[in-house]
PDB file of all heavy atoms in Angstrom:
ATOM      1  N   GLY P  43      -8.172  27.021  -0.507  1.00 90.00           N
ATOM      2  CA  GLY P  43      -7.999  25.806  -1.287  1.00 90.00           C
ATOM      3  C   GLY P  43      -6.535  25.544  -1.585  1.00 90.00           C
ATOM      4  O   GLY P  43      -5.647  26.245  -1.112  1.00 90.00           O
ATOM      5  N   LEU P  44      -6.290  24.522  -2.376  1.00 95.00           N
ATOM      6  CA  LEU P  44      -4.933  24.138  -2.735  1.00 95.00           C
ATOM      7  C   LEU P  44      -4.554  24.764  -4.071  1.00 95.00           C
ATOM      8  O   LEU P  44      -5.372  24.798  -4.999  1.00 95.00           O
ATOM      9  CB  LEU P  44      -4.818  22.621  -2.842  1.00 95.00           C
ATOM     10  CG  LEU P  44      -4.763  21.816  -1.553  1.00 95.00           C
ATOM     11  CD1 LEU P  44      -6.108  21.777  -0.848  1.00 95.00           C
ATOM     12  CD2 LEU P  44      -4.265  20.398  -1.837  1.00 95.00           C
ATOM     13  N   THR P  45      -3.310  25.193  -4.147  1.00 95.00           N
ATOM     14  CA  THR P  45      -2.776  25.728  -5.394  1.00 95.00           C
ATOM     15  C   THR P  45      -1.697  24.794  -5.902  1.00 95.00           C
ATOM     16  O   THR P  45      -0.755  24.476  -5.170  1.00 95.00           O
ATOM     17  CB  THR P  45      -2.174  27.124  -5.162  1.00 95.00           C
ATOM     18  OG1 THR P  45      -3.190  28.000  -4.666  1.00 95.00           O
ATOM     19  CG2 THR P  45      -1.608  27.685  -6.459  1.00 95.00           C
ATOM     20  N   SER P  46      -1.840  24.340  -7.132  1.00 94.00           N
ATOM     21  CA  SER P  46      -0.830  23.459  -7.714  1.00 94.00           C
ATOM     22  C   SER P  46       0.442  24.254  -7.988  1.00 94.00           C
ATOM     23  O   SER P  46       0.397  25.339  -8.572  1.00 94.00           O
ATOM     24  CB  SER P  46      -1.351  22.855  -9.016  1.00 94.00           C
ATOM     25  OG  SER P  46      -0.363  22.046  -9.614  1.00 94.00           O
ATOM     26  N   LEU P  47       1.587  23.704  -7.549  1.00 96.00           N
ATOM     27  CA  LEU P  47       2.873  24.364  -7.753  1.00 96.00           C
ATOM     28  C   LEU P  47       3.644  23.725  -8.912  1.00 96.00           C
ATOM     29  O   LEU P  47       4.093  24.422  -9.812  1.00 96.00           O
ATOM     30  CB  LEU P  47       3.710  24.285  -6.469  1.00 96.00           C
ATOM     31  CG  LEU P  47       3.141  24.995  -5.249  1.00 96.00           C
ATOM     32  CD1 LEU P  47       4.005  24.697  -4.024  1.00 96.00           C
ATOM     33  CD2 LEU P  47       3.035  26.488  -5.479  1.00 96.00           C
ATOM     34  N   LEU P  48       3.829  22.432  -8.821  1.00 96.00           N
ATOM     35  CA  LEU P  48       4.642  21.724  -9.811  1.00 96.00           C
ATOM     36  C   LEU P  48       4.136  20.304  -9.953  1.00 96.00           C
ATOM     37  O   LEU P  48       3.698  19.692  -8.975  1.00 96.00           O
ATOM     38  CB  LEU P  48       6.115  21.683  -9.392  1.00 96.00           C
ATOM     39  CG  LEU P  48       6.889  23.006  -9.427  1.00 96.00           C
ATOM     40  CD1 LEU P  48       8.160  22.904  -8.604  1.00 96.00           C
ATOM     41  CD2 LEU P  48       7.227  23.389 -10.858  1.00 96.00           C
ATOM     42  N   LEU P  49       4.212  19.767 -11.152  1.00 95.00           N
ATOM     43  CA  LEU P  49       3.919  18.364 -11.397  1.00 95.00           C
ATOM     44  C   LEU P  49       5.130  17.757 -12.079  1.00 95.00           C
ATOM     45  O   LEU P  49       5.622  18.313 -13.076  1.00 95.00           O
ATOM     46  CB  LEU P  49       2.671  18.213 -12.263  1.00 95.00           C
ATOM     47  CG  LEU P  49       2.210  16.781 -12.552  1.00 95.00           C
ATOM     48  CD1 LEU P  49       0.702  16.706 -12.646  1.00 95.00           C
ATOM     49  CD2 LEU P  49       2.825  16.238 -13.828  1.00 95.00           C
ATOM     50  N   ILE P  50       5.645  16.657 -11.527  1.00 96.00           N
ATOM     51  CA  ILE P  50       6.802  15.974 -12.123  1.00 96.00           C
ATOM     52  C   ILE P  50       6.340  14.604 -12.614  1.00 96.00           C
ATOM     53  O   ILE P  50       5.801  13.816 -11.824  1.00 96.00           O
ATOM     54  CB  ILE P  50       7.928  15.758 -11.096  1.00 96.00           C
ATOM     55  CG1 ILE P  50       8.226  17.027 -10.317  1.00 96.00           C
ATOM     56  CG2 ILE P  50       9.186  15.268 -11.798  1.00 96.00           C
ATOM     57  CD1 ILE P  50       9.305  16.825  -9.275  1.00 96.00           C
ATOM     58  N   GLN P  51       6.581  14.339 -13.868  1.00 94.00           N
ATOM     59  CA  GLN P  51       6.277  13.022 -14.404  1.00 94.00           C
ATOM     60  C   GLN P  51       7.298  12.009 -13.889  1.00 94.00           C
ATOM     61  O   GLN P  51       8.419  12.372 -13.542  1.00 94.00           O
ATOM     62  CB  GLN P  51       6.292  13.042 -15.934  1.00 94.00           C
ATOM     63  CG  GLN P  51       5.314  14.005 -16.570  1.00 94.00           C
ATOM     64  CD  GLN P  51       3.864  13.652 -16.309  1.00 94.00           C
ATOM     65  OE1 GLN P  51       3.542  12.536 -15.898  1.00 94.00           O
ATOM     66  NE2 GLN P  51       2.980  14.597 -16.530  1.00 94.00           N
ATOM     67  N   SER P  52       6.934  10.735 -13.880  1.00 93.00           N
ATOM     68  CA  SER P  52       7.823   9.706 -13.335  1.00 93.00           C
ATOM     69  C   SER P  52       9.122   9.595 -14.110  1.00 93.00           C
ATOM     70  O   SER P  52      10.137   9.150 -13.586  1.00 93.00           O
ATOM     71  CB  SER P  52       7.123   8.352 -13.304  1.00 93.00           C
ATOM     72  OG  SER P  52       6.783   7.948 -14.613  1.00 93.00           O
ATOM     73  N   SER P  53       9.105  10.019 -15.371  1.00 93.00           N
ATOM     74  CA  SER P  53      10.310   9.944 -16.216  1.00 93.00           C
ATOM     75  C   SER P  53      11.218  11.157 -16.043  1.00 93.00           C
ATOM     76  O   SER P  53      12.320  11.199 -16.590  1.00 93.00           O
ATOM     77  CB  SER P  53       9.913   9.828 -17.690  1.00 93.00           C
ATOM     78  OG  SER P  53       9.108  10.940 -18.060  1.00 93.00           O
ATOM     79  N   GLN P  54      10.750  12.163 -15.297  1.00 95.00           N
ATOM     80  CA  GLN P  54      11.527  13.383 -15.116  1.00 95.00           C
ATOM     81  C   GLN P  54      12.306  13.347 -13.816  1.00 95.00           C
ATOM     82  O   GLN P  54      11.938  12.649 -12.869  1.00 95.00           O
ATOM     83  CB  GLN P  54      10.599  14.604 -15.132  1.00 95.00           C
ATOM     84  CG  GLN P  54       9.890  14.808 -16.454  1.00 95.00           C
ATOM     85  CD  GLN P  54       8.930  15.977 -16.409  1.00 95.00           C
ATOM     86  OE1 GLN P  54       8.137  16.095 -15.478  1.00 95.00           O
ATOM     87  NE2 GLN P  54       8.987  16.822 -17.426  1.00 95.00           N
TER      88      GLN P  54
END
Side-chain angles (χ1 to χ4, degrees):
Chain P
L44 284 72
T45 300
S46 178
L47 297 174
L48 290 163
L49 183 146
I50 312 178
Q51 301 295 344
S52 62
S53 58
Q54 296 177 312

